[in-house]
Amino acid sequence: MNEYFIFNRIRCSVADDKAIVLQGFCGEELSDAADALQIVLEGKNKSKHVDSKFIISKAPLDKKNLFGSGKIVKTLSAIIKPDESFESEDKLKLFYMKKGEAAPIELYSCTGKEIDHYAAKLNYCIDSVFSDGKYIMIKGWAVDCCDVDFDLVRIEQGTEEKLLYELNHYTRSDVCDSFVEIENTRDIGFVIKLLNNNYKMRLYLKAGNKSEQYRINGSKGLSKIPAVNKIKNVVTKTVRNTKNYGLKSTLLKIKIRLRTRAAFATANYNSWIKKRMPNKKELLKQEQTKFSYNPRFSILVPLYETSEYFLAELIKSVKKQTYKNWELCFSDGSRDSERLRKILEPYMALDDRIKYIAKKKGPLGISDNTNQAYELAGGDYIVLGDHDDLFTPDALFECVKVLNNRQVDVIYTDEDKTDEKGKRFFGANFKPDFNIDLLRSCNYICHMFVAKKTLVDRVGTFNHEFDGAQDYDFILRCVEQANEVCHIPKVLYRWRAHTNSTSERPDSKLYAFDAGRRAIEAHYKRLGIDATVENGDHLGLYKTTYKIAGEPLISIIIPNKDHVEDLKKCMDSVDEKSDYKNYEYIIVENNSEEELTFEYYKELEKRDNVRVLYWDKEFNYSAINNFGEKEAKGEYILLLNNDIEVINGDWLSQMLGYCQREDVGIVGARLYYEDDTIQHAGVVIGFGGIAGHAFVTLDEESDLYQSRTKVACDYSAVTAACLMTKKKIYDEVGGLEESFKVAFNDIDFCMKVRALGKLVVYNANAKLHHYESKSRGAEDTFEKKERFNSEIKLFNSRWPEIIENGDPYYNVNLTLDKADFSIRV
């Protein structure tokens, strides 16, 4: 294994059919790596350099110790375009010139014959082949320079007959991460759907002059195929990974996969939720419950070419409600309304709570269709439902329980997904209590959504301009004017995930995500907020940038004791990378001992925007920051640790934009450890008994819960390692509580600001490295333990309600024992 680089894969480029890509990993200083690499073509009587482009990107977490601890590992891709003189016996070699060495080190070598072999291969994978009884589904991905065409044939006695099938494409961001030469996300995932049969079939994939084939043994063997393929793939990948990277790396990869995926694995959740569903005795008790307030719920369901089976299942789920004061309002926007009318007539004849309307000739858009259903609504509250989804039997009962305690305008609940047969549950979405910044980042509320009819009459019904995200626009308008928004932390709604559903394939309605962005923009316009909205890291996620008013001064307070290199790196990164420049530094010197430290202070004091203050008392983090804040001239205060390094240039303007909002009191940032795992992405009260960082030490590319590290959202607290607030708010709450000398001072400060009615926002768009050690802060002496325990008692005494009732920005169904938002068992 090379000391600095490992290259283990060669393939044809999917952006240029005349180029090849060599991929591996880099453990050298990234600023020098690409410059020190060269591609050389060697052959009979020739040797020359070949033009190449090197792309450095993030490496998977399991490769972090590939070159030993302490080195940052990155994926390194070389895109090479040999000229026409490259012959099959010639060799293409990759060299690295190590600093101080006279001769280059050969990292990789391959012949023209090998390259021709790989260039002829189509990049594809069949992930699964399965049947739901009626249909066979083939899922996978394929990518090439040319469009990939598919043919599915029946094999019968040596002859082939083409089969009819339905093909849908979708985005596979995980695959795109490997094909770094693709500039734009492409729909390279596919689902092939055809009627179930017992044929032996063959799938042909063709792109230009490349072709591949995959054999399918018919429906009798389908149940075994996915399992066999998975086992084969796991064994192959394990052997290959061990050969290329060693046993230690392979075991680490397995550990990471188990840790990040087991928490919400389908089997685990399926078993967990079934144990928590109300049993027959509980449901009977709910039916017999008498309420003083008995509102009627109008459930609006727009129908469009709806499956008779799914429609029957939906009706059954509503009729099973333990609270009986409801009406089911169907609107039919299908091309031909007669089919569904005939299906529904027997239901309506038996139950006058089931209503149907098809006044307008179809096809109708989703908004017009839902508005038509609203014409039937005579209830006190409206409930949104999709034509292929399910309500749990206690859904309306739980809503009525809330409404008998307080008259709220809006209610939403937790939700999950179910398969086509409604027997398997997965994909749970355990939501926080009302979280306006999360709602502006994604439609986390979605289902089940309940709104008071008088509120709907005031804000208006659905707007067809936002079709695809019409519910997002509607929810935003409702919460803008609601007197109170209530969250019920129970799964009361089930999305039906099937081949054509958006919940299963979010990319199947790409126009919906553009409509979602426009819905947020319209929301800001109604509120008079000057902001721009962009698509986020994934489909359905959005990034808001607030326009900064004026050019206020920011006072950056950095406590420091020695560690001059850290301080210099921190300040240099702020100076060199920040797009916002109106700031001052207040360095609070705290009992340094090294001469170099004071020499550096003398250099800093020559700058107009730097002041060094000298704290000569014992260490007290709160008192030190309060001491610095008193001297601050800025309208905004930024508390910053000295071991922070800026990643993105707009970090400061992003934080300031949020902090300027009147409803915001504090803004925090997304912080990474040196190995790019999460150090801070918000604080949850209750983690570890008191409070802890969300997703700490986890790799955010490993399917973290709801992509929460990547979106702005409200939390109960954020870390003071990088915390912005208004100076007037800092002063109003009395700064950091000096009784918290080391721990919980920032959490307590956030709680005091929240007590003013202000929000604490985690801004995922402000990204920095925090070089704090993962193993720092051991309370290993009697004095430290005493101090730490006393600070725990103090925090508990100051904020008993949130400790007892739980963090409103978390969810009672999620564990407090780990920071990965996994299920509480």
Side-chain angles (χ1 to χ4, degrees), residues 475-535:
I475 288 170
L476 285 167
R477 285 187 280 121
C478 286
V479 300
E480 287 166 17
Q481 297 193 36
N483 71 322
E484 185 181 349
V485 178
C486 174
H487 164 230
I488 300 175
K490 293 185 177 183
V491 172
L492 302 179
Y493 190 93
R494 301 211 142 95
W495 289 62
R496 179 88 65 171
H498 53 86
T499 307
N500 292 322
S501 72
T502 311
S503 61
E504 176 69 3
R505 298 188 302 107
D507 56 284
S508 63
K509 294 184 178 179
L510 293 177
Y511 68 90
F513 301 106
D514 177 67
R517 178 185 56 77
R518 291 187 288 105
I520 303 170
E521 289 176 337
H523 161 71
Y524 286 134
K525 187 175 181 180
R526 287 190 298 272
L527 297 180
I529 296 173
D530 195 350
T532 59
V533 183
E534 306 170 59
N535 290 326

Side-chain angles (χ1 to χ4, degrees), residues 226-238:
V228 171
N229 283 348
K230 286 179 181 178
I231 293 170
K232 182 180 178 180
N233 288 342
V234 167
V235 172
T236 302
K237 289 178 181 178
T238 302

Side-chain angles (χ1 to χ4, degrees), residues 77-141:
S77 304
I79 300 177
I80 309 160
K81 198 169 183 179
D83 58 31
E84 295 178 356
S85 65
F86 189 30
E87 299 175 357
S88 61
E89 299 305 317
D90 292 345
K91 287 190 175 182
L92 200 65
K93 294 185 177 182
L94 174 63
F95 289 99
Y96 169 62
M97 177 61 78
K98 184 180 177 182
K99 292 179 182 177
E101 296 288 334
I105 300 170
E106 183 178 317
L107 301 177
Y108 190 85
S109 174
C110 61
T111 65
K113 187 175 182 180
E114 290 175 293
I115 291 174
D116 289 341
H117 169 74
Y118 288 111
K121 294 286 186 181
L122 174 62
N123 295 291
Y124 87 103
C125 177
I126 304 298
D127 294 321
S128 62
V129 183
F130 62 94
S131 172
D132 66 350
K134 185 176 181 181
Y135 295 101
I136 294 173
M137 261 78 76
I138 305 168
K139 291 188 175 184
W141 60 264

Side-chain angles (χ1 to χ4, degrees), residues 528-687:
I529 296 173
D530 195 350
T532 59
V533 183
E534 306 170 59
N535 290 326
D537 288 354
H538 302 305
L539 291 173
L541 304 183
Y542 302 96
K543 171 187 173 181
T544 292
T545 300
Y546 294 95
K547 185 177 180 180
I548 295 172
E551 195 178 357
L553 178 67
I554 301 171
S555 296
I556 303 176
I557 301 172
I558 307 177
N560 188 70
K561 179 180 180 180
D562 293 319
H563 294 280
V564 168
E565 289 185 5
D566 288 337
L567 179 61
K568 186 177 188 306
K569 180 187 283 189
C570 173
M571 295 178 69
D572 285 350
S573 72
V574 172
D575 292 336
E576 293 169 8
K577 294 183 179 180
S578 303
D579 62 349
Y580 189 84
K581 298 298 184 182
N582 192 21
Y583 54 81
E584 66 169 359
Y585 291 108
I586 297 176
I587 311 301
V588 186
E589 152 57 28
N590 166 39
N591 298 310
S592 293
E593 298 174 356
E594 298 173 5
E595 186 64 31
L596 286 174
T597 303
F598 296 96
E599 290 177 7
Y600 183 60
Y601 289 157
K602 289 178 181 178
E603 291 181 29
L604 290 177
E605 288 175 321
K606 296 176 184 178
R607 294 174 51 177
D608 293 337
N609 70 336
V610 179
R611 282 179 287 158
V612 181
L613 306 180
Y614 292 84
W615 173 267
D616 56 7
K617 300 176 186 178
E618 67 174 356
F619 177 79
N620 181 318
Y621 182 82
S622 298
I624 288 170
N625 278 285
N626 290 344
F627 177 63
E629 189 271 342
K630 286 183 176 66
E631 300 297 320
K633 298 176 182 177
E635 185 181 345
Y636 293 86
I637 301 296
L638 178 68
L639 304 184
L640 195 68
N641 279 17
N642 64 352
D643 54 353
I644 293 283
E645 185 177 15
V646 173
I647 295 176
N648 59 307
D650 63 342
W651 72 286
L652 200 53
S653 56
Q654 278 285 336
M655 295 185 75
L656 179 58
Y658 273 85
C659 204
Q660 283 194 323
R661 278 172 32 193
E662 184 58 34
D663 60 336
V664 172
I666 290 172
V667 181
R670 178 164 28 159
L671 306 181
Y672 297 91
Y673 285 112
E674 186 173 7
D675 63 3
D676 288 334
T677 56
I678 292 295
Q679 194 274 337
H680 171 266
V683 171
V684 173
I685 309 299
F687 276 178

Side-chain angles (χ1 to χ4, degrees), residues 234-350:
V234 167
V235 172
T236 302
K237 289 178 181 178
T238 302
V239 171
R240 185 171 64 237
N241 200 89
T242 304
K243 180 180 177 181
N244 291 331
Y245 311 117
L247 181 60
K248 185 177 180 180
S249 171
T250 303
L251 292 175
L252 178 60
K253 185 171 186 176
I254 293 171
K255 179 181 177 182
I256 291 168
R257 291 292 177 90
L258 290 173
R259 182 179 68 183
T260 57
R261 295 187 179 183
F264 272 85
T266 298
N268 290 355
Y269 174 73
N270 201 52
S271 173
W272 182 90
I273 192 63
K274 285 181 177 179
K275 292 176 182 177
R276 284 155 181 81
M277 294 177 185
N279 57 36
K280 290 182 179 179
K281 184 178 180 181
E282 291 168 329
L283 293 174
L284 180 61
K285 184 178 179 180
Q286 289 180 11
E287 288 184 359
Q288 296 171 346
T289 301
K290 303 296 182 183
F291 292 105
S292 58
Y293 177 52
N294 294 278
R296 168 164 282 210
F297 294 94
S298 298
I299 304 170
L300 309 186
V301 181
L303 303 175
Y304 186 79
E305 313 296 348
T306 305
S307 157
E308 181 176 354
Y309 170 76
F310 291 155
L311 180 57
E313 290 292 295
L314 168 64
I315 295 172
K316 185 190 299 183
S317 77
V318 175
K319 289 178 71 68
K320 283 185 176 181
Q321 292 299 304
T322 57
Y323 180 77
K324 303 300 183 181
N325 194 11
W326 54 261
E327 59 182 7
L328 187 50
C329 304
F330 287 115
S331 170
D332 193 352
S334 306
R335 295 178 181 86
D336 176 14
S337 61
E338 285 305 307
R339 181 181 71 89
L340 292 178
R341 184 191 299 274
K342 290 177 181 178
I343 292 171
L344 284 170
E345 280 175 350
Y347 290 102
M348 292 188 286
L350 294 172

Side-chain angles (χ1 to χ4, degrees), residues 396-423:
L396 298 181
F397 175 86
E398 293 295 341
C399 294
V400 176
K401 277 175 60 179
V402 168
L403 293 172
N404 273 266
N405 290 322
R406 58 190 197 272
Q407 293 294 305
V408 301
D409 282 351
V410 167
I411 298 173
Y412 68 93
T413 76
D414 295 343
E415 61 190 281
D416 65 12
K417 297 176 184 176
T418 186
D419 60 10
E420 296 196 356
K421 294 182 179 179
K423 303 296 184 184

Side-chain angles (χ1 to χ4, degrees), residues 302-304 331-334 364-374:
L303 303 175
Y304 186 79
S331 170
D332 193 352
S334 306
L364 295 182
I366 182 67
S367 293
D368 291 339
N369 203 5
T370 309
N371 291 342
Q372 184 172 248
Y374 189 70

